[in-house]
Each structure stands twice: as structure tokens, then as C-alpha cells.
Amino acid sequence: MNVETIENVSIIRESVRDFVNQKIRPHVMEWDESQYFPVDVMKEMGKLGFLGVLVPVEYQGAGLGYQEYVTVIEEISKVCGSIGLSVAAHNSLCSGHIMLFGNEEQKHNYLSRLATGEAIGAWGLTEPTTGSDAMRMKCTAVEDGDHYVLNGTKSWITHGKSGDIAVVIARTGELLDSRGMTAFVVERGTPGFTAGKKENKLGMRASETTEMIFEDCRVPKSQVLGDVGDGFIQAMKVLDGGRISIAALSLGIAKGAYETSVNYALEREQFGKPIAQFQGISFKLADMATEIQAAELLTRRAADLKNRGEEVTKESAMAKLFASELAVKCGSEAVQIHGGYGYTKEFPVEKFYRDAKLCTIGEGTSEIQKIVIARQIMKGNL
């Protein structure tokens, strides 16, 4: 990172940390228990620029880069993975898709509202029967004069109910045709666009996850993002950046679990001394610290490539794979270090443990990341 970026990262880290300690930390377990999605807090973050980190200033965004963005997600996630996930999905998926493929009118209309928190964003690719196998999607968009008519259901959608602006990928061509899908911007309130079932989740419970249902939903052709038929290809490019987001989210959860464990191990005494002095505990902390450093380097490397506009498919998949699996490991080890207390909701580590698992599933499972990495290697991208 250059000097300017390092200074930006330092300032942003302090700003995010102050906000999180004041507005999020006191409510973490309350929101988790009730599965409450704090829209008001999201909008406050929009006013501070946290929802438009990567959006250019001309569209009312912060106009910053991926290093600053990683820092925002990481700092939020060190305290609450749920809010970190919501901020990541808003920035990288919905806003990110419009920023990459929208025309000027669409960017001015939607990015300015998303970046300032006036509107919350959602992104719809996954369906009830098509997760990783997105080319078999059943949600269709049929041309009808100056409109497309959408029918189908999207599932596991972050902000599927509270989102004001959704980017939706629907099939406009033949099944299994990679150029048979198209991306649309659909606004809440459009007739035929409703929210479905809200998922009752293991973790990330304060980040809203619901179905989006389309029943004869008429969307003007002006709402098409990019070219007709390019939706799937666009989505894969969006996910390259999205995986950096999940790597940052994972990194934050891992750091939160680790830092909490260090503090506990230094305070908790057994047999007349802090448990941190026992090799069985100190080695766990040593492993966590070392692997967190590795995860951060992978994530920052991917962010650097993204900032430079270079190919990042392999590196973002590597960062996401390693950091997400590490988050699960750190959550598990944190519970173990805390012993019986770690299994209670009086200490934060059980939540880190629950939240972490989603990171190995969302935006491409760990198995999919390995496929992506392997394909890149076979192409000669060593």
C-alpha cells in the first residue's frame, strides 16, 4: 500500500471502530436473539460513507479503494459478523453490479441512493434449487413490448425484504446457456415484486435473509443492466469482488475470536496461573495469530490487484477460501479456550463460532473456490 492508502486505512479504521463501539456493540446479542435487522443503523452508516466506500464521488460515494473497503468490513465484523455481512452485500453485490455494468443514468439514479444509505441494496442470483448450479435457474424474464415480465423465486437473499433496490439475474434464453441470463434493477414497490420466507438461521441472525418472489412483475427495458444475455457473465465478475468482501468478513470474525481469546487467556487462572501460560492454550493462540496474518496478506493482495484493475479471480478465491475456513477454526478454538463459558451467550465467542460458518458457504462454497482456483491454475494462471 502507498502512503496515502495507509493513512486512509488508519483513519477509516478508527472511524469505523468508534461507530461500532457506540452503535453496534451494545446491541449485538439483542439483535442476534430476535433476528432484528437494524435498518436505521445501516442508514447511519450510509451517512458516514460506509455503504459507498467504492462508489465514485460523482455518484455521492466515498471514492475509495479496496484496501479501505476491506478495513471497513473487517472492523465491523470483529464485533458483529451480521452487520459486516449486510454492509458487504450492499457494497459489493448490489452497488458493485450497478457500478460495473450500469449506464450513466442508472448509476446516477441508483448509486447515489445506495451510497448515502437512502436505499438498501439486495442482489438475487441464488434460487431454491440452484445454488452453485446457477445456469439452471428457473426465474424467467420474458420480453413483452417495452418491458420484461419476471416470474420466479430467488432465495437466500440478503435484504430480500428490506432492500429498496435489487439487482436480479433472470433467464432470458435457453437453460444451461451462459449467455441466456440477464441482469435487471428492480425497485421495491414494483407490482409483482414481494418478499417471501425469512430464514431462521444458525448465525448471522441480524442480517436479514429472505426470498424474493416475482409474479408477473413488469420491468421496463430501461432497467436492464448491460447487454441482454450477459447476466451470468456479469455475476461471475461481481463475485470476484464479492469474494474479497467475504474474505474481509472472515478476517474480522477470526480477529474478533482471537483477540477475545487472548484477553480471556491472560485473565483466566487455573492451577495458580493464567491459562495463557499453559502450552496447550498458548499454541492455539500462536496458530491463530499466524494464520490470521496469512489470511490478511491473501486478502490485501487480492484487494491490491482489484485496485490495479488486474485479473483477480484466482486470488480472490484463494483469499475467500483460506480466510473463511480460518474463521471457522478460530471460532472453534475460541470456544475451546473459553471452556464452559465459551458455550454460553455471556461471552461473544459462541456467536463468532456460529457466524463464521456462513463464510464457507455464501458467495461460493469452499468447494467451489477450489474448483475456481484449480481452473485458473490449469489455464496457466500460476
Side-chain angles (χ1 to χ4, degrees):
M1 288 188 282
N2 59 37
V3 173
E4 182 182 356
T5 300
I6 291 171
E7 290 177 354
N8 283 343
V9 165
S10 179
I11 292 168
I12 288 166
R13 191 180 298 281
E14 289 301 317
S15 176
V16 176
R17 190 173 293 168
D18 288 345
F19 180 86
V20 168
N21 285 333
Q22 290 179 39
K23 300 291 186 175
I24 297 177
R25 190 183 294 276
H27 307 289
V28 168
M29 290 312 298
E30 169 196 342
W31 294 342
D32 182 78
E33 292 283 348
S34 62
Q35 293 203 90
Y36 174 73
F37 174 51
V39 175
D40 55 336
V41 173
M42 287 285 288
K43 290 184 178 296
E44 284 188 63
M45 286 192 284
K47 294 176 182 177
L48 293 173
F50 301 164
L51 299 189
V53 183
L54 301 167
V55 176
V57 175
E58 62 188 290
Y59 308 120
Q60 299 190 50
L64 298 171
Y66 267 81
Q67 300 294 358
E68 292 89 349
Y69 176 55
V70 165
T71 301
V72 170
I73 302 302
E74 176 198 322
E75 282 298 319
I76 295 171
S77 305
K78 281 168 69 174
V79 172
C80 183
S82 296
I83 307 305
L85 174 62
S86 280
V87 173
H90 177 100
N91 273 283
S92 68
L93 298 181
C94 182
S95 296
H97 199 137
I98 296 170
M99 193 161 62
L100 282 174
F101 300 105
N103 57 39
E104 283 302 308
E105 182 179 353
Q106 291 167 335
K107 289 179 181 179
H108 280 287
N109 186 17
Y110 295 116
L111 288 181
S112 59
R113 292 157 60 189
L114 290 163
T116 58
E118 177 187 339
I120 303 298
W123 191 75
L125 176 67
T126 302
E127 297 184 2
T129 58
T130 58
S132 301
D133 190 11
M135 285 201 295
R136 293 182 190 272
M137 67 171 55
K138 296 179 180 178
C139 182
T140 59
V142 178
E143 190 174 3
D144 183 17
D146 293 332
H147 290 73
Y148 279 90
V149 181
L150 272 63
N151 280 287
T153 299
K154 295 294 180 179
S155 61
W156 301 102
I157 308 303
T158 303
H159 313 148
K161 179 179 179 181
S162 297
D164 305 290
I165 296 169
V167 173
V168 182
I169 295 90
R171 185 160 57 82
T172 49
E174 296 299 317
L175 200 67
L176 299 178
D177 180 2
S178 64
R179 292 194 176 274
M181 287 157 277
T182 302
F184 302 86
V185 181
V186 187
E187 293 198 55
R188 185 70 57 186
T190 303
F193 174 26
T194 57
K197 180 183 70 171
K198 180 178 179 178
E199 303 296 342
N200 186 9
K201 299 175 296 183
L202 169 71
M204 302 292 195
R205 291 169 61 83
S207 180
E208 176 188 279
T209 306
T210 68
E211 293 177 324
M212 293 194 302
I213 299 172
F214 300 92
E215 296 177 307
D216 295 327
C217 179
R218 294 179 63 82
V219 179
K221 288 184 175 179
S222 60
Q223 300 300 90
V224 171
L225 283 170
D227 294 330
V228 172
D230 280 355
F232 178 79
I233 295 162
Q234 291 175 9
M236 295 305 103
K237 292 180 180 177
V238 169
L239 285 173
D240 279 348
R243 285 164 182 158
I244 297 174
S245 299
I246 301 301
L249 171 66
S250 304
L251 182 62
I253 292 172
K255 284 188 176 183
Y258 164 71
E259 291 174 8
T260 301
S261 297
V262 170
N263 292 333
Y264 180 81
L266 290 171
E267 294 173 0
R268 172 70 165 167
E269 292 190 359
Q270 289 286 273
F271 306 102
K273 59 183 178 181
I275 62 172
Q277 293 184 20
F278 292 102
Q279 190 177 80
I281 300 299
S282 66
F283 277 17
K284 289 181 185 296
L285 296 173
D287 285 343
M288 291 163 75
T290 302
E291 292 177 49
I292 284 171
Q293 289 270 323
E296 181 151 24
L297 287 170
L298 281 169
T299 304
R300 295 289 180 181
R301 165 67 173 157
D304 180 62
L305 289 172
K306 189 69 174 172
N307 278 341
R308 295 170 185 267
E310 297 182 21
E311 176 67 40
V312 75
T313 301
K314 183 187 72 174
E315 286 77 9
S316 64
M318 284 180 166
K320 197 267 188 190
L321 171 64
F322 188 85
S324 63
E325 293 292 342
L326 176 62
V328 173
K329 177 181 177 180
C330 286
S332 177
E333 293 287 50
V335 171
Q336 194 71 16
I337 289 168
H338 281 70
Y341 290 113
Y343 204 66
T344 72
K345 293 184 181 293
E346 293 179 27
F347 287 77
V349 290
E350 64 84 30
K351 184 176 183 297
F352 287 127
Y353 188 34
R354 288 186 289 111
D355 286 349
K357 189 58 193 170
L358 185 278
C359 298
T360 68
I361 300 170
E363 297 196 34
T365 63
S366 291
E367 291 76 16
I368 289 294
Q369 303 313 310
K370 291 179 182 180
I371 291 173
V372 171
I373 295 164
R375 284 177 178 169
Q376 291 295 309
I377 292 169
M378 300 310 168
K379 288 180 181 178
N381 182 9
L382 304 178

